[in-house]
Amino acid sequence: PATCTFKGGLESEKQQYIIHGGKTPNNELSDKIYVMSVVCKNNKKVTFRCTEKDLVGDVPEARYGHSIDVVYSRGKSVGVVFGGRSYIPSAQRITEKWNSVADCLPHVFLVDFEFGCSTSYILPELQDGLSFHVSIARNDTIYILGGHSLANNVRPANLYRIRVDLPLGSPAVNCTVLPRGISVSSAILTQTNNDEFVIVGGYQLENQKRMVCNIISFEDNKIEIREM
């Protein structure tokens, strides 16, 4: 599944965890979204509560290999779902191709965790469905790096900046294509400090693992990617 952390509000100290999609034990795909939170900690034992969140509106189809992040704008927050793969439509699922998958459409979904509303956006800069990309959320912005396009079987050196504005009215979503992206899929991302992340591993070709790491650093609104 896709996972991320979520703080309920600026005044909230509680950290929650969002879980979306993924494969079920019987090899079907899930479209469910769960909110997990820590209930109590005592005697070194941690108790979690996990609740399913019902969505209305443009509900993202069941998928895996996608990303979910939370952005914060004007004192509000919203979840952002992008990319991934899904099974081909049921009408095309014959026995020989029952588990065949395809890229999800390159739509961006905004999910309101409070009211359970989901809205999809079509951005002209996002032309291909991508899966197993890397996503980084900072304030009101998400950066999408790399990924794999199943339709073309390529790992383009993508770097997209998706900015979400949450005024009193309808949200505004815009996308900018940035230079100097990374050709990688299925990499691990970890945060080392407030303004620095590290990308480890992944694939640069279908049968070729990526043997370099990258440091991603931010200064103001500028992003810098360098080999490590």
Side-chain angles (χ1 to χ4, degrees):
T3 62
C4 69
T5 57
F6 170 53
K7 227 175 213 184
L10 295 177
E11 72 288 341
S12 173
E13 292 297 320
K14 271 193 173 179
Q15 188 110 303
Q16 297 176 311
Y17 305 89
I18 310 298
I19 304 168
H20 178 265
K23 284 192 174 184
T24 64
N26 62 1
N27 211 31
E28 285 298 321
L29 296 181
S30 171
D31 63 354
K32 297 185 182 303
I33 190 164
Y34 298 96
V35 179
M36 183 179 288
S37 56
V38 176
V39 180
C40 66
K41 295 180 181 179
N42 54 27
N43 297 327
K44 297 184 179 180
K45 182 179 180 182
V46 179
T47 304
F48 288 97
R49 175 185 293 126
C50 187
T51 57
E52 182 180 343
K53 191 75 178 179
D54 293 325
L55 297 182
V56 296
D58 306 324
V59 179
E61 65 179 314
R63 60 187 66 202
Y64 73 104
H66 58 302
S67 62
I68 184 168
D69 297 278
V70 177
V71 292
Y72 301 87
S73 168
R74 303 175 190 259
K76 294 182 283 187
S77 62
V78 70
V80 182
V81 176
F82 174 73
R85 292 178 185 166
S86 184
Y87 286 131
I88 59 175
S90 56
Q92 303 173 27
R93 293 181 75 183
I94 58 176
T95 303
E96 291 79 7
K97 294 185 176 180
W98 193 253
N99 290 329
S100 295
V101 294
D103 295 318
C104 294
L105 293 173
H107 295 173
V108 174
F109 295 86
L110 298 191
V111 179
D112 186 317
F113 296 123
E114 183 179 359
F115 300 105
C117 301
S118 177
T119 308
S120 68
Y121 293 81
I122 299 174
L123 305 177
E125 294 82 5
L126 300 171
Q127 291 291 320
D128 298 310
L130 293 170
S131 54
F132 302 108
H133 53 274
V134 172
S135 66
I136 300 174
R138 282 175 56 82
N139 302 321
D140 63 353
T141 303
I142 290 176
Y143 297 86
I144 303 291
L145 292 91
H148 180 235
S149 171
L150 193 62
N152 305 316
N153 193 26
V154 294
R155 290 165 177 80
N158 292 323
L159 178 52
Y160 298 108
R161 181 177 63 207
I162 301 173
R163 184 163 285 148
V164 180
D165 187 21
L166 300 174
L168 286 175
S170 299
V173 185
N174 66 72
C175 179
T176 304
V177 181
L178 301 178
R180 298 183 296 278
I182 298 178
S183 176
V184 64
S185 66
S186 302
I188 295 172
L189 175 79
T190 189
Q191 186 166 3
T192 50
N193 62 47
N194 283 341
D195 299 312
E196 191 173 273
F197 299 78
V198 175
I199 291 181
V200 181
Y203 287 84
Q204 59 189 38
L205 295 171
E206 187 169 347
N207 56 357
Q208 185 175 347
K209 294 181 180 179
R210 197 165 180 271
M211 303 304 290
V212 298
C213 301
N214 291 90
I215 292 179
I216 302 172
S217 54
F218 293 88
E219 186 174 344
D220 299 325
N221 287 326
K222 292 182 180 178
I223 178 173
E224 180 186 352
I225 304 174
R226 61 187 189 276
E227 287 193 5
M228 176 184 180

